[in-house]
Amino acid sequence: MKYSVFTFVISAGLCSLIYAACSDANTVAPANSAASINSAQVRPDEQIQLEGLNPQAQNIEQASLKADKIIQPSKVLTPVLTGTLTDKSAEAVRTEKAALVKPNPSEAMPSEVKTGQNTAGKNKAKPGFLEQPTHIDRQAQAPNIKLAQLSSTTEAVASQKELQTLSQSTESLSQVTEQDSNPITNIVTPETSLKPSELKDDLAQTAPEPKPVREPVKHIIEIKRFKFSTPKLEVNIGDEVTWVNLDIVPHTATANDKSWDSGELKKDERYTMIITDETSLAYFCLYHPHMKAEFVIDDKT
Amino acid sequence: MKLRLLPILLATALSATACESLATQSAKTASTAPAAASTNPADLNDLEIAHVAYTADNIDIEYAKIALRKTSSPEVRAFAETMVRDHEMVNELALGLLKKLDAQPQDNFLSQKLTADAAGISAKLESLNGSEFDMYYASNELGYHKAVNNLVETAFIPNIENAEMKELFKAGLEIFKAHEVHAEMMVKQLGG
């Protein structure tokens, strides 16, 4: 009997000790679990998926990743990053527990978060999310930071569209815009964008076809034997016409409407005039009215 | 005018062939032979022809001066101004050539005939006014230039020996033919 009582007492004491030890272990476990998550090295592709989640979903994801990601302490984490995530660790563990008990399909990670437009909308609703430091390597970090900056507000997207529109006129600017907008190509690519070559075609269709330009020509008209040597002379605007009187009596070259007049040209005297769009084309000799001639504007030029 | 010039023109045509050598000779001896020896224009030498041309030019200038005093028609005035301008130019050139040749134009029967006839026409012009004056002046100019041009073309130019003088008369003929065309236009403008 005494042996039985002793045995019971000993067993009870051992059980108390064991119970006390187990209680202490439970109070420390969350902290240890969070530290393990913070120390995990997350691959870039995994981080991209995380960015598509709201904080609550991220915490769920972080919790669900614990078994895989708690591999070894990170050597790349900064104290700031660690501290930031450590603050969230307690909540993450609590969420983990809830998720393990009752998973909510509506809070599961979206299968595809590729379009910048959709991402922007989510990020505007949760602006603080993308501002959080991320613990990824630099190669994966650059496009994600650019994505975050471009999609942080709808105004940023609007500006991007304006830039895209303005860039249509120049090839270089268009290329720059194309490079910058690559991460969110599905969002901002305008349907009406034109390539430079298309712009040229468009301009060619609307602009009038230029006429061939002809250099001004110098014409000589001899007045000889009471005749103008070229009764019908083809000229163009800007051409220079010179009359020279080879007769022994004076002549004139006078517009029929008297709008221009050479005045009296004695033997071997000359008169030069520039053809303008206002030049009256028909002319005659004022002294000998039967002497007539005219200009013809060369409409081919 | 036509009637007055017609005998001269006929005489020129009839005697042109026969008097060709004589005309050449008379031109050469114009300074010594008496002018009254022939009434055939083709008999005139170069100096006599030059005198006839000079006289004819001055006669037309005198008609034009009368017109410029009396006409109110722009067409008539323009024509008259051209007659003064062109005939003075021809006379100037003719006198310049004579000076160059150191020769003096010789009066002859044809020059005297032209001067006599011009006196009657000038009197007629002075007696007319308005449209009658314009029409008479225009018609006389047309006839006068036709007769003179025919004389110069058929009697003078073929018989002129001096090359420079021949060229001057050829140029003069073009001028006078232009005047003839101009006179024809003027007559039409005046309703003639």
Side-chain angles (χ1 to χ4, degrees):
Chain A
M1 185 64 183
K2 289 182 180 178
Y3 176 76
S4 299
V5 172
F6 177 76
T7 302
F8 175 77
V9 172
I10 293 300
S11 300
L14 290 172
C15 288
S16 298
L17 291 172
I18 292 170
Y19 178 78
C22 289
S23 296
D24 292 340
N26 285 339
T27 57
V28 177
N32 293 340
S33 176
S36 299
I37 292 173
N38 291 339
S39 301
Q41 283 186 320
V42 182
R43 294 191 301 272
D45 55 343
E46 293 167 346
Q47 180 61 31
I48 291 172
Q49 287 180 334
L50 288 173
E51 286 182 349
L53 301 174
N54 60 39
Q56 188 176 4
Q58 184 186 25
N59 290 332
I60 294 171
E61 177 64 14
Q62 287 172 339
S64 65
L65 290 173
K66 68 182 181 63
D68 297 331
K69 305 301 181 290
I70 302 174
I71 300 171
Q72 57 184 343
S74 173
K75 295 179 180 178
V76 297
L77 291 178
T78 64
V80 174
L81 289 176
T82 303
T84 302
L85 292 179
T86 301
D87 294 339
K88 291 179 176 291
S89 60
E91 179 65 20
V93 172
R94 282 193 294 272
T95 307
E96 174 193 1
K97 290 179 180 177
L100 290 173
V101 173
K102 186 178 181 181
N104 187 353
S106 65
E107 293 180 345
M109 182 179 66
S111 59
E112 290 287 337
V113 189
K114 292 182 178 178
T115 63
Q117 191 173 21
N118 291 337
T119 303
K122 289 179 180 295
N123 292 338
K124 186 177 182 181
K126 307 287 183 182
F129 166 67
L130 288 173
E131 295 172 358
Q132 293 178 2
T134 55
H135 47 287
I136 57 178
D137 62 61
R138 290 186 179 274
Q139 287 182 338
Q141 187 178 18
N144 285 313
I145 290 174
K146 191 174 291 181
L147 175 64
Q149 291 171 344
L150 289 173
S151 61
S152 61
T153 63
T154 54
E155 288 78 10
V157 174
S159 299
Q160 189 71 16
K161 288 182 177 179
E162 293 173 3
L163 177 61
Q164 187 81 3
T165 302
L166 292 171
S167 67
Q168 292 173 3
S169 58
T170 60
E171 185 175 359
S172 57
L173 184 56
S174 176
Q175 291 173 347
V176 170
T177 305
E178 184 178 355
Q179 292 172 357
D180 289 345
S181 61
N182 275 339
I184 51 174
T185 298
N186 293 335
I187 314 168
V188 297
T189 300
E191 297 177 357
T192 57
S193 64
L194 293 174
K195 296 178 180 178
S197 59
E198 293 171 340
L199 272 176
K200 290 178 181 177
D201 294 341
D202 189 51
L203 289 173
Q205 290 175 356
T206 57
E209 187 171 336
K211 292 182 177 180
V213 178
R214 194 184 74 174
E215 290 295 322
V217 177
K218 293 183 177 181
H219 305 274
I220 300 291
I221 299 176
E222 292 182 345
I223 305 175
K224 188 176 182 181
R225 304 180 73 172
F226 284 78
K227 290 180 181 177
F228 295 106
S229 59
T230 312
K232 187 173 289 188
L233 177 63
E234 283 194 356
V235 297
N236 197 10
I237 305 303
D239 282 2
E240 182 181 287
V241 179
T242 298
W243 290 267
V244 53
N245 180 20
L246 302 179
D247 276 342
I248 59 177
V249 295
H251 290 292
T252 75
T254 306
N256 285 2
D257 60 3
K258 309 292 178 63
S259 60
W260 53 269
D261 183 13
S262 67
E264 184 175 285
L265 297 176
K266 294 179 180 177
K267 188 176 188 306
D268 295 329
E269 287 186 342
R270 293 168 176 256
Y271 175 74
T272 298
M273 182 178 76
I274 303 297
I275 302 295
T276 70
D277 55 358
E278 296 180 353
T279 299
S280 185
L281 301 179
Y283 66 97
F284 70 112
C285 173
L286 192 61
Y287 299 161
H288 312 97
H290 66 285
M291 297 172 57
K292 298 176 181 177
E294 64 179 332
F295 298 120
V296 177
I297 299 297
D298 185 3
D299 57 2
K300 294 188 291 295
T301 57
Chain B
M1 175 62 71
K2 286 182 180 178
L3 294 176
R4 288 195 297 272
L5 285 175
L6 186 58
I8 300 174
L9 297 174
L10 288 174
T12 302
L14 290 173
S15 61
T17 304
C19 298
E20 185 174 0
S21 60
L22 181 61
T24 302
Q25 183 182 359
S26 65
K28 292 178 181 177
T29 59
S31 59
T32 56
S38 175
T39 57
N40 187 345
D43 292 340
L44 300 177
N45 60 34
D46 288 2
L47 297 179
E48 290 172 325
I49 293 174
H51 194 279
V52 172
Y54 183 78
T55 302
D57 277 342
N58 283 329
I59 288 171
D60 208 29
I61 291 170
E62 291 301 317
Y63 293 159
K65 289 182 177 179
I66 294 172
L68 289 174
R69 280 193 287 110
K70 303 193 70 168
T71 187
S72 57
S73 165
E75 291 81 10
V76 172
R77 177 170 293 278
F79 179 88
E81 289 173 344
T82 295
M83 294 304 104
V84 173
R85 183 187 308 109
D86 287 357
H87 284 290
E88 284 184 346
M89 179 61 66
V90 172
N91 277 346
E92 182 180 332
L93 292 173
L95 291 175
L97 178 60
L98 291 173
K99 185 178 181 181
K100 177 183 176 183
L101 297 174
D102 194 20
Q104 290 291 323
Q106 294 177 357
D107 194 7
N108 56 77
F109 75 97
L110 193 53
S111 295
Q112 294 169 4
K113 177 69 173 168
L114 290 175
T115 301
D117 293 342
I121 294 174
S122 294
K124 179 72 173 178
L125 287 171
E126 293 287 356
S127 66
L128 297 174
N129 292 297
S131 59
E132 287 184 347
F133 171 86
D134 292 339
M135 182 57 70
Y136 184 84
Y137 172 76
S139 298
N140 183 65
E141 285 297 302
L142 178 59
Y144 183 71
H145 279 91
K146 280 184 177 180
V148 171
N149 290 341
N150 186 43
L151 177 65
V152 171
E153 188 171 17
T154 61
F156 291 171
I157 291 178
N159 295 319
I160 295 174
E161 291 187 337
N162 184 273
E164 289 182 273
M165 187 173 170
K166 186 184 288 281
E167 290 303 312
L168 179 60
F169 268 75
K170 286 181 179 178
L173 180 61
E174 290 177 351
I175 296 169
F176 304 146
K177 284 187 175 180
H179 293 171
E180 181 181 332
V181 174
H182 192 174
E184 194 170 3
M185 290 174 59
M186 179 173 59
V187 170
K188 289 181 179 178
Q189 289 172 336
L190 295 173

